Amino acid sequence: QLQLQESGPGLVKPSETLSLTCTVSGGSISSSSYYGGWIRQPPGKGLEWIGSIYYSGSTYYNPSLKGRVTISIDTSKSQFSLNLSAVTAADTAVYYCARHQYGIGFDNWGQGTLVTVSS
Amino acid sequence: DIQMTQSPSTLSASVGDRVTITCRASQSISSWLAWYQQKPGKAPHLLIYKASSLESGVPSTFSGSGSGTEFTLTISSLQPDDFATYYCQQYNSFPYTFGQGTKLEIK
């Protein structure tokens, strides 16, 4: 059964870079049908798509994040990663990684990790 | 960006009730719409994809319909486990966008 697990610091200082990694096990994202995606949810609020990466390395980002996002993939390690630069308190959220299949949506999610931006 | 608007924001209902949640897109998304259920402290869970296709393992009390700009999620007979927050999401084009959520509460 496919599992995704986020990892990374739970506390980041303002103006620094938030870095998270998603490790995929029990399956693959190295297929023409799959993307790896990042979604976040501020406390008590709704879901926001951050960006997605295709197994080939093609990336798609939410323009609302104004060029602060970089997503990369390492298929040999079954991992994809998120970097969000110049963070502020508004970036405090639970960050989820998820797999989405072409034509289906986000069918497998990690459990999520809370990242707090504070000095 | 395509805006997704759900209604209502909160819905109070009883076990056994039939409920419907509506999701409207600001422009046509064909049938590229998914519905998710989220419980407190948990990740969202895919229920419906391509507007009306039931994800494997999801009870048949859940159904989806619609195309273009208007979509509905129906729960035909509410079970205690169904009280949660529901989100729609369009994947017709990047940036993917979610509705603001509908919280389904016990009356």
Side-chain angles (χ1 to χ4, degrees), chain A residues 35 39 41 45-49 52 60-63 96 100-107 109-112, chain B residues 1 32-34 36 38 41-46 48-50 55 87 89 91 94-100:
Chain A
Y35 294 78
I39 301 101
Q41 186 171 37
K45 296 189 178 180
L47 300 164
E48 179 183 32
W49 174 76
S52 295
Y60 308 86
Y61 300 136
N62 194 328
Y96 296 100
H100 59 108
Q101 287 195 61
Y102 179 79
I104 290 181
F106 294 104
D107 63 344
W109 295 66
Q111 65 186 23
Chain B
D1 298 5
W32 302 118
L33 183 100
Y36 303 87
Q38 186 180 34
K42 299 295 187 182
H45 174 68
L46 179 66
I48 302 282
Y49 62 93
K50 215 187 299 183
E55 172 71 342
Y87 294 93
Q89 178 234 336
Y91 53 100
F94 293 114
Y96 291 166
T97 45
F98 291 87
Q100 80 278 16

